[in-house]
Amino acid sequence: MKIVVHSLIEEHLAYALQITIWAIPSGDTKIEPQSNFLELVNLCNVVVQLFDQHVIYDILPLVSGSEHHAECIQRKKDVLERLESLIAQGIDKTLSAIVAWVKALLTAEQKRSDFKPEAIHDAGNVLQSPTCGKVVAFMNHQIKKVKVVLDGKNLEVVSTELGARFHRVLYDHMLRFEYNEIGGMLAICDLNEYRKCARELKSPLAEQLFEILHSLCNLLVVAAENVPQVIKDEHLSGLDKTVIVAFIQLRADYKTARLQHVVR
């Protein structure tokens, strides 16, 4: 068993995972992250299953009743835990690279004028902004990869984490702009596309986060006199007041409509 662990696990699987983790972009948003690590995880899972079966059906019966039986079981446990640790490290770094690229796309492509058009004809395609289209295409590809590689509890945990990180980068992005009424509607159109994308993760937490963000975006488009009523929405009533104020302040008419004292 020592030979199998050393040759197969340590020299091949663990080494491949370490090298691929090292190659994942870390803070470098000039390079679009690839899905090499996720593909490697898929291959690793297949090899681990074969290794597990080999130990159970071929090795353990040979040492049954001897002092080596417990040793083999412990060695298998230790080596699998090491691989799981490397995989967790790589997935975390992969998720960081994914959201870093989304942030880079949003920062580089989205213009302040996108959400403050002078007239409806300046808004162009109201279904989604070109920037949104690029982000959604990228995220859909990444989500498909995650769903192919992972399953069960692992898929649930990673999907929830990716959904939360995706939401956070969009939330921070929206706070960078000022919106007139048309721009607010365009922002909601973009958000609807992001929500469709995030819904593919099948994460209740992500769904809740995007539902709240959608309610916050409604504050950008409702008539000024209706803002006090909207903030009583079930998705907004439990939020910290500073969050609600932060979105109301993004309205182009924030001062002229005297919305400074709406939230008390």
Side-chain angles (χ1 to χ4, degrees):
M1 182 169 174
K2 290 182 180 179
I3 296 175
V4 175
V5 169
H6 178 72
S7 300
L8 178 63
I9 305 300
E10 295 179 357
E11 289 194 343
H12 286 82
L13 286 187
Y15 178 73
L17 288 170
Q18 289 171 332
I19 291 297
T20 311
I21 289 171
W22 177 82
I24 299 172
S26 181
D28 185 359
T29 54
K30 296 180 180 179
I31 303 174
E32 179 177 338
Q34 303 301 312
S35 55
N36 294 349
F37 186 80
L38 294 178
E39 292 169 358
L40 177 59
V41 169
N42 201 19
L43 292 174
C44 186
N45 287 337
V46 173
V47 175
V48 166
Q49 289 176 9
L50 293 174
F51 168 73
D52 190 49
Q53 291 176 6
H54 174 62
V55 173
I56 293 174
Y57 297 112
D58 298 326
I59 296 179
L60 291 182
L62 297 177
V63 296
S64 178
S66 73
E67 61 183 15
H68 299 296
H69 187 269
E71 179 185 341
C72 287
I73 293 177
Q74 186 60 46
R75 183 180 289 273
K76 180 174 80 99
K77 179 175 179 292
D78 292 343
V79 75
L80 293 183
E81 285 180 351
R82 185 188 176 206
L83 290 179
E84 288 176 0
S85 177
L86 287 171
I87 289 173
Q89 179 184 344
I91 288 178
D92 180 71
K93 193 174 180 183
T94 297
L95 297 186
S96 295
I98 289 173
V99 295
W101 183 252
V102 170
K103 182 178 180 179
L105 277 177
L106 293 170
T107 302
E109 303 281 344
Q110 199 93 70
K111 301 175 182 178
R112 293 190 177 277
S113 57
D114 287 353
F115 300 123
K116 208 174 178 183
E118 295 297 327
I120 188 64
H121 60 78
D122 295 328
N125 179 11
V126 296
L127 296 179
Q128 66 179 43
S129 69
T131 304
C132 173
K134 292 181 180 180
V135 170
V136 167
F138 171 74
M139 284 298 299
N140 280 336
H141 178 70
Q142 301 303 320
I143 291 171
K144 287 179 182 178
K145 285 291 183 181
V146 169
K147 293 169 75 171
V148 166
V149 169
L150 303 173
D151 57 17
K153 188 65 176 180
N154 290 331
L155 176 59
E156 179 184 339
V157 171
V158 172
S159 295
T160 297
E161 182 65 20
L162 179 56
R165 294 191 192 191
F166 183 40
H167 164 269
R168 185 68 208 191
V169 75
L170 293 174
Y171 175 88
D172 290 341
H173 175 69
M174 300 193 76
L175 290 175
R176 297 174 53 237
F177 299 91
E178 184 179 83
Y179 305 82
N180 59 19
E181 184 178 357
I182 298 174
M185 290 189 290
L186 293 176
I188 290 178
C189 287
D190 276 5
L191 181 58
N192 286 336
E193 296 303 312
Y194 295 137
R195 288 178 71 189
K196 290 179 186 177
C197 178
R199 199 167 286 133
E200 292 300 313
L201 291 167
K202 310 296 183 184
S203 166
L205 176 61
E207 182 68 25
Q208 180 184 15
L209 290 173
F210 275 89
E211 186 70 31
I212 292 172
L213 186 54
H214 187 272
S215 295
L216 286 169
C217 285
N218 283 335
L219 293 172
L220 304 174
V221 298
V222 297
E225 60 269 22
N226 293 333
V227 170
Q229 183 61 36
V230 173
I231 62 177
K232 297 177 182 179
D233 176 271
E234 61 176 318
H235 297 297
L236 300 181
S237 59
L239 293 183
D240 190 290
K241 292 181 180 179
T242 58
V243 174
I244 297 175
V245 170
F247 266 79
I248 295 176
Q249 289 177 335
L250 301 177
R251 294 174 58 115
D253 65 349
Y254 174 68
K255 292 183 179 179
T256 57
R258 299 180 179 180
L259 294 171
Q260 297 94 324
H261 305 296
V262 167
V263 181
R264 299 180 182 277

